[in-house]
């Protein structure tokens, strides 16, 4: 198999939800041996595929840390991504960051390279990619205050294009970063650009609450409470939308 074929095979099994732990182990070993031949898009696709399989518990059968061969592959992908980040598309940068966060695999140097490459190019990112990038850095616990400031500005400009799930993910990511003190370095009110983004998200959420999933409603409400950002009209809209739909909420979402 050529690099593109290895990446495509991994992507196909992960996307289809097919459990094949022996195949994924073999794919990890074969890909690691030839990783210098992988193009940036193939690296991104490979990372996404393995993270999707790991996060869903399909690689090995349950949600647990990936086996050593997969962990070694993630380490190798991180090194290649850090060295080649300028060759990645906006989607590739966002998907790779998402992959490492979803798999729970630390890669500080790679995240730093992605932040430096993405920040001046955020105009190339689609709404889903902006939300995924913010989610990835927040989930991975990576401090990147300059990136978050730029993400807040870029997202606010295009917020009418965000779907409800993307709004919820964006709110969750910024609240997680703010609450943990990663955005700005200490637990304190968010900077003005982030506060302005929360105001804009609140307005869009209030107008589109009927389009939110149960998880999206719960996560958005949590985000504003965790960030300490007032949004009375939005909370009213969420309450009105959630009340007749509480049967859709999982225990964690109710709590």
């Amino acid at each position: 198999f050529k690099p593109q074929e290895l990446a495509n095979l991994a992507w196909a099994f992960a996307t289809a939800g097919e459990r094949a732990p022996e195949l994924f182990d073999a794919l990890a070993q074969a890909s690691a041996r030839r990783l210098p031949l992988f193009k940036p898009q193939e690296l991104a696709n490979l990372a996404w595929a393995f993270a999707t399989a790991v996060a869903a518990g399909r690689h090995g059968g349950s949600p647990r840390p990936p086996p050593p061969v997969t962990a070694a592959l993630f380490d190798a992908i991180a090194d290649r991504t850090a060295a080649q980040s300028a060759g990645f598309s906006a989607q590739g940068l966002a998907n790779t960051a998402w992959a490492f966060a979803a798999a729970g695999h630390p890669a500080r140097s790679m995240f730093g390279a992605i932040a430096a490459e993405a920040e001046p190019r955020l105009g190339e990112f689609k709404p889903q990619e902006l939300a995924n990038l913010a989610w990835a850095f927040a989930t991975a616990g990576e401090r990147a205050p300059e990136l978050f400031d730029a993400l807040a500005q870029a997202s606010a400009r295009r917020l009418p294009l965000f779907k409800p799930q993307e709004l919820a993910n964006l709110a969750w990511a910024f609240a997680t970063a703010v609450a943990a003190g990663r955005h700005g370095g200490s637990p304190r009110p968010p900077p003005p650009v982030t506060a302005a983004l929360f105001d804009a998200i609140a307005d869009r959420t209030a107008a589109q609450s009927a389009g939110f999933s149960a998880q999206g409603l719960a996560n958005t409400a949590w985000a504003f409470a965790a960030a300490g950002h007032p949004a009375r009209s939005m909370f009213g809209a969420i309450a009105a939308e959630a009340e007749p739909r509480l049967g859709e909420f999982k225990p964690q979402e109710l709590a």
Side-chain angles (χ1 to χ4, degrees):
F1 283 63
K2 297 176 183 176
Q4 184 178 3
E5 295 160 355
L6 291 169
N8 286 354
L9 188 63
W11 180 92
F13 273 76
T15 301
E18 290 293 331
R19 280 190 57 198
E22 293 82 3
L23 174 63
F24 271 94
D25 283 349
L27 277 167
Q29 293 173 313
S31 299
R33 285 194 296 269
R34 281 172 280 172
L35 214 60
L37 302 177
F38 277 64
K39 297 175 182 177
Q41 189 61 52
E42 295 160 356
L43 289 172
N45 290 349
L46 191 68
W48 183 91
F50 272 84
T52 298
V54 167
R58 293 193 288 270
H59 185 175
S62 62
R64 62 174 183 262
V69 290
T70 301
L73 177 63
F74 274 115
D75 285 338
I77 292 173
D79 290 342
R80 298 297 299 172
T81 300
Q84 300 182 44
S85 59
F88 278 67
S89 65
Q91 182 185 49
L93 292 170
N95 283 358
T96 304
W98 177 91
F100 277 76
H105 193 90
R108 180 151 292 179
S109 295
M110 184 204 75
F111 274 101
I114 288 176
E117 181 62 32
E119 186 182 340
R121 295 174 52 192
L122 291 178
E124 303 173 23
F125 284 62
K126 297 176 183 177
Q128 183 179 4
E129 294 159 0
L130 292 169
N132 285 354
L133 190 65
W135 181 91
F137 273 77
T139 299
E142 289 292 333
R143 280 191 57 201
E146 294 83 3
L147 176 62
F148 271 94
D149 282 349
L151 276 167
Q153 293 173 311
S155 299
R157 284 193 295 269
R158 279 173 283 169
L159 215 60
L161 302 178
F162 277 64
K163 297 175 183 176
Q165 188 60 52
E166 294 160 357
L167 289 172
N169 289 350
L170 190 68
W172 183 92
F174 272 85
T176 298
V178 168
R182 294 192 287 268
H183 185 176
S186 63
R188 62 175 184 264
V193 291
T194 301
L197 176 63
F198 274 115
D199 285 338
I201 292 174
D203 290 343
R204 298 297 301 173
T205 301
Q208 300 182 43
S209 59
F212 279 67
S213 65
Q215 183 185 48
L217 292 170
N219 283 0
T220 303
W222 176 91
F224 277 74
H229 193 89
R232 181 157 293 179
S233 295
M234 184 203 76
F235 274 101
I238 289 177
E241 181 62 33
E243 184 180 345
R245 294 173 53 193
L246 291 178
E248 303 173 22
F249 284 63
K250 297 177 182 177
Q252 183 179 3
E253 296 159 0
L254 291 168

